Amino acid sequence: MHEPHHPVQASYLRMTAQEITQDVIQRHESPGRQFWMVTSVLAGLLGLGIIGFIILLSKGFEDRNAWGYYATTFAYIFTAAQSAVLISVALRMVKAHWRRPIARISELFAAVGLFTFLLLIPLLWVLPVTTGRRSIWFEWPGHSPHLWDTLALGLLVVCGLALLYFASIPDMAAVRDHATGARQNRYRRMALGWQGSLHQWKKLQVGISLLGGFYFILLIVVHMLISVDFAMSLVPGWKDAIFPAFHAITGFQSAVALTIVTMSILRWKTSLRRYIEADQFWGLSKLLLALSLLWFYFWWSGFFTYWYGRQPAEQSILKFLMFETYKVPFILAFLLCFVTPFVILMWNFVRKTIWGPTLAASIVLVGTFFNAIRFYVPAYSIEDSSLHFLETLPPANTPGGVDILIIIGGIAGAVLVYMLASRVFPIVSTWELKEGLLLQRVRKLMKIQIKVLAKPE
Amino acid sequence: MVNERVNHKWGMVVDIDRCTGCQACVVACQAENNIPLNTEAIFRQRRAIEWIHVERYWEGEFPDVKARFIPILCQHCENAPCEPVCPVYATYHNNQGMNVQVYNRCVGTRYCANNCSYQVRFFNYWEPVWPETLKNQLNPDVTVRSRGIMEKCSFDIQRLRKAEHVIEGQRGERITDENLREGNFLPACVQACPTTTLVFGDFNDPESQVSQMKEEHFVEGGRGYKLLEDLGTEPNVIYLKKVDIHAKTGVETHA
Amino acid sequence: MQERVRLSDAQINRDLLRSIFETPKWYWFLVAFLGLVVLAGFTAAGYMFNQGLGVTGLNRPVMWGFFITNFVFWIGISHAGVMLSAILRLVQAEWRRPATRAAEVLTVFSLMTAMMMPLIHAGRPWRVMYWVFPYDFARGVYPNVRSALVWDPAAVFTYLTSSILFVFIALVPDIAVLRDRTTGWRHVMYSVLSLGWRGSVRQWKLQLIAGILLSAIILPIFVSVHSIVSWDFGTAMSVEGWHSTVFAPYFVIGAVHSGVSAVVTVMIALRWVFKWENYIRMEHLDALAKLLIVVATGWFYFFILEFIFGLYSLEGPEVALREMQVFQMPWTALFITFLLCAYFIPVPMWLIPKVRRSIPLMIFTTILVNIGMWLERFIIIVPGLARKQVFTFTWGGYTPSAVEIVIVIATFALVSMLVLLFAKVFPLIPIGDAKEGMILYDEIKIGKVMVPAVMREE
């Protein structure tokens, strides 16, 4: 734990504020040819997805079973991208200094919210009314989930975008100061007259923490609404109080994994090595380990209560979701969301590398996809949601060609939106780095170099 | 003489249609099983011990309400929720389909009572006392339970053991409904029931009355049902619905 | 805004050992008073053993009442110790330093008290060994491992053992300090307990490694203990109000909520009693209150999940249970008090920075939280049993008897008395930790101001 000569990370501490700004802004201006190549490939894949979507649409909304994988794609993108914003919010809340270089990387996922929202719209026609079946809307009109879930997700997306925009204002001002011509004009308008006065900084801080707190609460609410309305309440007899919390945990888990993977792609393909270091991977991999353990804990609490009770209604749910019909996605999710990341990340020396967290995070991203499959596909494969409990289990729905097109297109679309958003907002937050320069010092204590962190409050 | 043991599965059929709510079964059980006296004070404390008790409930909506009686006793569930939760194995399932209570093992955590869906497990909150005049009435075949332990309906296992001993062991015959009745081996409540609401027998014996009643009534639209069937406890006590003489069709009962 | 004063090592020793070397008169009065209450509790328990459980208010539907509520409550309090020491040690939170020992000691004593509850509530308490110990004695029957009641003692005793170890490991350097300052039989006692501590680099290193290892090991135990306690209820499928999948995390986070609040109460009491103003500072209360806001809100989220999904299927017993909890007196009053105490009064108050730095308000809010959390367990346990299934004729109620009330009050006195007695023998603020905090304290000049700072190997 405490090696005597642990190298002090955060090599940006050896730079000056001007150097940091120069470096990041320059990168922001010229992304390079590879960037555009990747975006065009992604656009092509998205096109395939749209073709798939049109085929699906032509079949109509009546056959809910056909929409299972579409719902999965929506849920997967929602859980990963919308929760990713939370990484920066949470780390900022606990004042973790190592978050500074990666805060924007996770915040940028707020832009994907627009795409998530688009994906939700067709699902509203697929979702049956709540009349005559169990739901968290109890005696409310049957269309309540359609209305409130849309509003809540919309609000979440708007809130995320506002947070992203707000937290980037100083950086956009920096771009403005370094750019010329039309670009300067554009960023002048976007920077909203940022001058960096004390008053402005105070407003920014308050705005960020308020939006962050609001986003946090809203995200938990939306997780609850979507997990119950779009999955749990469609399966008769499935009454699992922990499910919304479990859904949120898988969201956080995929969010951390997504941030780690994005970080290592940036490290690998761009020259941001100086900012994204083992420190960040170490911090996030500890979180990922904790969340993988929580994944198991929440799953176990739900599973165990059902399994021990031996009630027929609950047994049929276990059979349906875990042990018979959707056995394969469950086992894959269990292995990829819990077992493998746990085995990889339990070692501190692995957590301190770059490859270890990256490997575990990629595995978790695949795992959370299967995790989404095991909830959403079964939910849409049930014809009559108003039954008392599942007496006969419907057959498993395996993905067809259209489903695969939609999955690929959906994920490609989300990545595309993210990449385009990174053209608008610099992907490394320079003002947070510069704040870090103020609050951190490297000093010598006895024989070792040690970081000194200021606690202004 | 090695006697091949017949595997019994004791059970009961309760025909609600015949129950008049006379409480004879309750009294018989009380006398047979050395159950402490349920005084008024104890009733008020909600600590009365009645291994079988007749409950009254209301059926239908006002003004079309009907009072109904239902005798409730331990359901001897095949899948009993009370069994796995006992930390000391004081309650377990024996190989005759009965849920039995071992008084000596019980330490009185009362977890089984909490986890019993039918609420037919009773705890001895007080040391049982009998007036001098009743002491000679105590049944020597049944343990007097001390305070601090759980007890519940045993299907009068002392009589069944005697039946096995006498009928199977000594006479070498098979136990049937007839020789159970003739030898006074039926549970006290069944013996005492004047309307034959309670029918006791071996579900493993296809000839027995209970097996035949089960076969007759557990059909689509039949009268047979089990209490709280949704919980999947699979009781060995089955009930037959009350026949509603005023309802000509099924529709009217729901009106 | 930190009110830190640079203190010399000698000053720290003098201050923190004050509780051991100086005994004010009120101390013995207080101990004697608490002792009397504890005695009353033991007398009540003795009476109960003698007469049988009839002297309680328990009855047929409600077989568990005050004792089990109190058991869950004290298990909950015990969670603060590990939450504060282990997690904060692992994340190297600087403000944990004065809080850890008090929290750990509270863990140990509240666990002991908690485990007494189910034992005395058994019908035949003289036979509980058959249940608690995994041994077949002369009966040839091992305890039934399928029962959640067997997991309970297993989990609690594991937790107790590891917490005692945890306290002891952290205590060894402080005991050595005491050894060097005492004579006579106390010197002998401290010498034995200090395990030959000389303060060499190797010893410090071993102590540090042991502390970190124990922190990491104790965390899963801490989660498991309250999860298992919650499964006493969650696995009971016959009780509609208990059979909820959310119980494990709900109980764990509720435990942390009440436990951390209790630690704040204890810390404030210590600060006042032993005049440790230089050690337990406003910034510590501030940080703890902020932590409490997060924990309380997390707990509230799980409460909402529990409540909504308690009603989700709208089946008879579910609706009846919630109706009893919310609309039937006296439960309505309890329910409202519970919500106000556990969340709606303290949390908005903690949002105000001035409250977080006010001693009377912090002690007020944290005591409120524990009143609320005690009621929370009561409201889960009793109405759940009183509205178990659809048979209305088995529904009932519960009123605690005087015996139960006395015993519950006595447990509070017992824990307070044990903590006070502990303070007489060992320092309640880790001396080594306080000194380390002084060394790692630094200042950074930002612009024109000097800002307090800490050194850290991140």
Side-chain angles (χ1 to χ4, degrees):
Chain A
M1 260 314 144
H2 282 254
E3 295 158 30
H5 299 294
H6 182 280
V8 174
Q9 291 272 343
S11 41
Y12 71 86
L13 286 182
R14 298 192 183 84
M15 299 165 76
T16 63
Q18 280 79 9
E19 281 170 350
I20 292 177
T21 322
Q22 283 280 338
D23 190 42
V24 174
I25 302 300
Q26 227 164 38
R27 250 179 265 289
H28 181 57
E29 274 165 4
S30 46
R33 250 189 48 222
Q34 261 187 340
F35 179 89
W36 297 113
M37 270 166 55
V38 174
T39 37
S40 24
V41 170
L42 287 173
L45 291 177
L46 175 64
L48 286 181
I50 292 173
I51 295 172
F53 175 67
I54 291 169
I55 299 173
L56 185 61
L57 207 57
S58 66
K59 290 183 195 158
F61 298 110
E62 271 67 54
D63 180 17
R64 228 187 296 153
N65 200 10
W67 287 82
Y69 284 92
Y70 179 87
T72 306
T73 314
F74 157 73
Y76 178 62
I77 293 173
F78 161 72
T79 45
Q82 268 18 77
S83 313
V85 184
L86 206 61
I87 304 296
S88 83
V89 172
L91 293 179
R92 204 176 275 146
M93 237 175 237
V94 300
K95 303 197 182 78
H97 286 280
W98 55 265
R99 68 145 205 285
R100 300 182 180 280
I102 57 164
R104 183 68 43 74
I105 295 177
S106 76
E107 258 159 17
L108 261 182
F109 280 101
V112 183
L114 292 171
F115 187 68
T116 318
F117 193 77
L118 278 183
L119 285 177
L120 170 74
I121 295 169
L123 270 185
L124 294 176
W125 274 267
V126 183
L127 188 70
V129 292
T130 57
T131 330
R133 65 187 172 94
R134 292 170 175 181
S135 77
I136 47 169
W137 303 97
F138 301 114
E139 305 286 310
W140 282 36
H143 282 290
S144 301
H146 303 74
L147 174 67
W148 297 112
D149 289 14
T150 318
L151 280 181
L153 184 66
L155 196 58
L156 180 76
V157 169
V158 170
C159 181
L161 288 173
L163 181 68
L164 168 65
Y165 187 83
F166 221 70
S168 330
I169 288 179
D171 284 355
M172 290 190 290
V175 175
R176 171 197 67 191
D177 297 344
H178 285 78
T180 49
R183 189 176 162 83
Q184 192 184 23
N185 273 333
R186 205 166 60 238
Y187 277 94
R188 174 172 301 130
R189 258 175 278 126
M190 284 168 72
L192 302 176
W194 178 266
Q195 296 300 335
S197 69
L198 187 62
H199 180 65
Q200 283 179 329
W201 276 113
K202 270 192 180 153
K203 260 204 218 163
L204 183 84
Q205 295 288 7
V206 172
I208 287 178
S209 45
L210 278 185
L211 280 172
F214 191 56
Y215 190 87
F216 203 143
I217 293 168
L218 208 55
L219 182 72
I220 297 291
V221 172
V222 175
H223 262 296
M224 174 152 131
L225 295 181
I226 286 186
S227 62
V228 180
D229 284 337
F230 287 85
M232 187 162 110
S233 66
L234 296 174
V235 184
W238 189 9
K239 175 194 153 190
D240 189 350
I242 208 174
F243 183 56
F246 179 77
H247 200 270
I249 285 292
T250 59
F252 302 155
Q253 201 189 6
S254 49
V256 174
L258 194 56
T259 314
I260 292 179
V261 169
T262 318
M263 271 159 47
S264 55
I265 291 174
L266 285 174
R267 237 185 98 92
W268 170 46
K269 275 294 159 196
T270 72
S271 44
L272 290 169
R273 278 171 175 267
R274 179 178 294 169
Y275 309 104
I276 304 165
E277 292 169 300
D279 231 15
Q280 280 72 38
F281 284 92
W282 192 46
L284 281 182
S285 58
K286 278 190 277 187
L287 265 183
L288 188 59
L289 176 65
L291 287 166
S292 300
L293 290 172
L294 276 181
W295 187 97
F296 174 77
Y297 177 57
F298 278 55
W299 167 78
W300 174 258
S301 313
F303 159 77
F304 183 70
T305 314
Y306 271 20
W307 174 78
Y308 195 94
R310 293 180 295 174
Q311 292 186 24
E314 295 175 349
Q315 295 305 307
S316 64
I317 292 293
L318 288 186
K319 273 188 199 161
F320 185 49
L321 295 177
M322 290 177 200
F323 300 130
E324 273 174 27
T325 321
Y326 287 94
K327 188 167 60 182
V328 178
F330 166 68
I331 292 173
L332 284 174
F334 190 83
L335 287 177
L336 303 180
C337 288
F338 165 61
V339 180
T340 346
F342 173 63
V343 171
I344 295 176
L345 292 176
M346 63 194 279
W347 311 103
N348 198 28
F349 76 90
V350 177
R351 291 198 297 266
K352 280 184 173 173
T353 59
I354 307 290
W355 60 267
T358 310
L359 178 67
S362 325
I363 290 171
V364 166
L365 274 187
V366 179
T368 43
F369 185 73
F370 284 106
N371 204 46
I373 288 183
R374 81 188 181 95
F375 293 132
Y376 289 87
V377 176
Y380 286 78
S381 65
I382 291 165
E383 272 177 42
D384 184 5
S385 299
S386 61
L387 294 169
H388 189 57
F389 74 92
L390 273 184
E391 277 170 71
T392 47
L393 307 181
N397 176 6
T398 43
V402 177
D403 297 324
I404 288 169
L405 281 185
I406 286 176
I407 292 168
I408 292 174
I411 293 171
V415 179
L416 182 66
V417 173
Y418 183 83
M419 289 183 73
L420 292 178
S422 77
R423 297 304 319 123
V424 182
F425 308 100
I427 200 152
V428 171
S429 166
T430 64
W431 69 269
E432 288 205 70
L433 287 180
K434 287 184 268 183
E435 192 186 40
L437 285 187
L438 281 178
L439 296 178
Q440 300 172 80
R441 299 273 192 285
V442 179
R443 278 193 192 153
K444 239 185 141 175
L445 178 75
M446 316 284 191
K447 282 181 193 160
I448 52 162
Q449 295 269 308
I450 200 161
K451 222 188 289 173
V452 183
L453 310 174
K455 305 260 166 179
E457 276 160 35
Chain B
M1 182 183 86
V2 180
N3 196 357
E4 200 181 315
R5 270 182 79 102
V6 184
N7 201 8
H8 303 290
K9 192 182 170 205
W10 302 114
M12 197 182 272
V13 178
V14 182
D15 189 349
I16 301 289
D17 197 36
R18 289 168 171 269
C19 184
T20 58
C22 70
Q23 311 252 10
C25 51
V26 180
V27 176
C29 178
Q30 210 84 6
E32 168 73 17
N33 290 304
N34 296 341
I35 293 173
L37 296 180
N38 291 320
T39 59
E40 189 188 340
I42 286 182
F43 258 106
R44 286 187 183 281
Q45 292 167 0
R46 301 185 119 270
R47 290 169 182 164
I49 297 177
E50 297 171 300
W51 288 7
I52 182 167
H53 47 117
V54 180
E55 295 289 355
R56 183 197 60 193
Y57 66 100
W58 302 101
E59 200 175 84
E61 295 282 322
F62 181 83
D64 189 26
V65 213
K66 293 179 188 91
R68 297 275 190 253
F69 295 108
I70 181 169
I72 292 186
L73 67 161
C74 174
Q75 305 288 306
H76 294 274
C77 314
E78 282 298 308
N79 200 354
C82 56
E83 286 166 8
V85 300
C86 175
V88 290
Y89 284 114
T91 181
Y92 74 99
H93 218 70
N94 75 3
N95 55 4
Q96 299 186 330
M98 276 191 289
N99 176 281
V100 290
Q101 178 79 14
V102 186
Y103 303 127
N104 261 334
R105 289 180 187 170
C106 181
V107 298
T109 64
R110 308 192 286 292
Y111 198 6
C112 54
N114 285 344
N115 210 18
C116 172
S117 314
Y118 308 94
Q119 213 122 226
V120 285
R121 298 186 141 262
F122 302 86
F123 186 68
N124 285 277
Y125 281 96
W126 301 107
E127 192 73 48
V129 277
W130 283 271
E132 205 51 48
T133 48
L134 280 183
K135 284 213 171 137
N136 288 336
Q137 176 265 343
L138 291 181
N139 185 349
D141 293 339
V142 180
T143 324
V144 168
R145 281 80 56 190
S146 72
R147 71 181 155 87
I149 59 174
M150 298 300 304
E151 59 183 62
K152 62 161 201 73
C153 163
S154 62
F155 270 166
D156 290 1
I157 194 167
Q158 67 279 7
R159 296 190 176 196
L160 296 175
R161 288 283 171 271
K162 206 186 264 173
E164 279 170 25
H165 179 69
V166 173
I167 303 172
E168 288 177 339
Q170 292 178 349
R171 296 190 220 150
E173 295 170 16
R174 291 195 49 193
I175 294 183
T176 61
D177 285 352
E178 283 71 41
N179 53 27
L180 269 183
R181 193 178 309 121
E182 279 161 15
N184 281 339
F185 298 128
L186 284 173
C189 54
V190 178
Q191 249 184 345
C193 183
T195 58
T196 61
T197 298
L198 307 172
V199 183
F200 182 83
D202 183 358
F203 277 120
N204 273 357
D205 175 8
E207 307 283 290
S208 72
Q209 203 188 343
V210 284
S211 297
Q212 283 169 357
M213 284 172 93
K214 190 177 180 183
E215 210 166 303
E216 183 190 343
H217 295 290
F218 268 77
V219 287
E220 193 66 38
R223 293 204 290 137
Y225 69 101
K226 289 172 178 173
L227 289 186
L228 302 181
E229 209 167 352
D230 279 359
L231 297 180
T233 51
E234 292 163 38
N236 274 327
V237 175
I238 59 181
Y239 285 78
L240 303 183
K241 235 179 262 175
K242 177 110 182 152
V243 181
D244 197 339
I245 44 164
H246 300 296
K248 293 280 186 300
T249 61
V251 185
E252 272 177 51
T253 46
H254 296 291
Chain C
M1 266 186 283
Q2 291 184 331
E3 307 82 355
R4 192 190 286 260
V5 188
R6 283 260 177 204
L7 297 165
S8 68
D9 283 1
Q11 179 71 32
I12 293 179
N13 285 344
R14 203 158 42 241
D15 283 350
L16 296 185
L17 296 178
R18 190 183 300 132
S19 64
I20 297 159
F21 293 121
E22 291 167 25
T23 315
K25 237 187 224 146
W26 57 260
Y27 176 85
W28 292 117
F29 275 119
L30 194 57
V31 170
F33 171 72
L34 292 173
L36 276 180
V37 180
V38 173
L39 200 65
F42 277 111
T43 315
Y47 174 67
M48 188 173 80
F49 292 167
N50 185 267
Q51 296 292 305
L53 283 171
V55 300
T56 63
L58 300 169
N59 53 58
R60 185 146 70 89
V62 186
M63 296 264 178
W64 289 357
F66 253 40
F67 292 149
I68 297 299
T69 307
N70 211 33
F71 163 67
V72 181
F73 175 79
W74 282 114
I75 292 277
I77 296 290
S78 79
H79 273 47
V82 169
M83 162 71 202
L84 281 173
S85 311
I87 295 187
L88 298 183
R89 206 177 284 239
L90 288 181
V91 302
Q92 302 185 5
E94 191 56 29
W95 50 270
R96 72 166 194 278
R97 295 187 187 280
T100 48
R101 175 83 40 83
E104 290 155 13
V105 168
L106 198 58
T107 297
V108 172
F109 293 140
S110 53
L111 264 181
M112 291 174 174
T113 311
M115 206 50 216
M116 276 165 51
M117 288 291 115
L119 300 189
I120 63 168
H121 116 295
R124 301 201 284 185
W126 51 93
R127 288 198 170 209
V128 291
M129 286 305 152
Y130 295 132
W131 150 29
V132 172
F133 279 97
Y135 179 65
D136 69 348
F137 294 98
R139 313 182 310 162
V141 183
Y142 278 93
N144 177 6
V145 288
R146 294 178 304 168
S147 168
L149 285 189
V150 170
W151 316 332
D152 266 339
V156 170
F157 286 134
T158 312
Y159 190 39
L160 187 62
T161 316
S162 47
S163 331
I164 290 177
L165 262 180
F166 201 46
V167 175
F168 184 65
I169 295 277
L171 205 54
V172 168
D174 294 359
I175 298 178
V177 173
L178 280 166
R179 173 197 61 197
D180 301 341
R181 280 164 184 72
T182 46
T183 50
W185 66 271
R186 285 166 138 207
H187 180 72
V188 176
M189 180 183 80
Y190 289 127
S191 305
V192 172
L193 286 177
S194 62
L195 305 176
W197 180 270
R198 286 282 174 274
S200 68
V201 174
R202 185 170 167 275
Q203 285 181 332
W204 275 112
K205 209 169 172 182
L206 285 177
Q207 196 251 7
L208 188 72
I209 292 173
I212 288 170
L213 272 182
L214 269 175
S215 306
I217 291 169
I218 215 167
L219 274 178
I221 301 178
F222 135 82
V223 173
S224 76
V225 171
H226 220 69
S227 302
I228 284 171
V229 169
S230 82
W231 288 328
D232 288 348
F233 308 104
T235 55
M237 65 89 148
S238 295
V239 188
E240 282 277 356
W242 288 1
H243 187 55
S244 170
T245 51
V246 82
F247 263 32
Y250 177 44
F251 272 46
V252 171
I253 196 160
V256 173
H257 184 30
S258 69
V260 176
S261 301
V263 169
V264 175
T265 317
V266 170
M267 277 171 68
I268 294 178
L270 292 178
R271 177 188 149 108
W272 174 66
V273 165
F274 298 115
K275 302 190 177 54
W276 282 335
E277 284 85 359
N278 280 332
Y279 302 90
I280 300 168
R281 294 185 298 272
M282 293 304 164
E283 75 201 59
H284 297 126
L285 297 186
D286 188 80
L288 281 165
K290 280 182 188 161
L291 175 72
L292 275 172
I293 297 176
V294 175
V295 172
T297 307
W299 167 82
F300 191 63
Y301 166 63
F302 282 108
F303 164 75
I304 290 179
L305 284 185
E306 195 259 347
F307 204 86
I308 290 184
F309 288 95
L311 271 173
Y312 183 66
S313 59
L314 288 180
E315 277 162 6
E318 288 185 348
V319 180
L321 165 65
R322 302 297 153 178
E323 198 204 326
M324 180 182 184
Q325 280 181 347
V326 185
F327 296 118
Q328 282 178 23
M329 285 307 274
W331 298 99
T332 313
L334 292 180
F335 191 76
I336 293 172
T337 321
F338 142 65
L339 272 185
L340 287 179
C341 288
Y343 195 80
F344 286 105
I345 295 176
V347 173
M349 280 179 75
W350 292 330
L351 286 174
I352 306 165
K354 271 199 182 138
V355 175
R356 294 202 294 264
R357 286 166 179 271
S358 146
I359 296 244
L361 287 179
M362 279 307 285
I363 214 166
F364 170 69
T365 45
T366 49
I367 288 176
L368 274 195
V369 167
N370 273 314
I371 295 175
M373 292 309 290
W374 203 95
L375 286 176
E376 183 227 24
R377 278 67 177 251
F378 189 56
I379 286 171
I380 288 176
I381 291 170
V382 173
L385 286 174
R387 300 282 181 273
K388 224 158 71 171
Q389 285 290 345
V390 288
F391 299 142
T392 48
F393 42 78
T394 60
W395 291 0
Y398 167 72
T399 324
S401 74
V403 171
E404 285 170 289
I405 295 172
V406 169
I407 290 177
V408 165
I409 291 174
T411 58
F412 284 82
L414 180 64
V415 173
S416 322
M417 189 178 79
L418 289 174
V419 172
L420 269 183
L421 289 177
F422 186 88
K424 198 75 224 108
V425 189
F426 301 109
L428 268 179
I429 290 184
I431 302 176
D433 242 13
K435 289 178 186 167
E436 190 189 36
M438 284 295 157
I439 293 173
L440 294 181
Y441 177 68
D442 204 343
E443 280 177 336
I444 286 184
K445 195 169 185 198
I446 300 178
K448 284 179 193 158
V449 288
M450 291 301 281
V451 177
V454 286
M455 295 183 196
R456 256 176 100 165
E457 285 183 90
E458 261 198 322

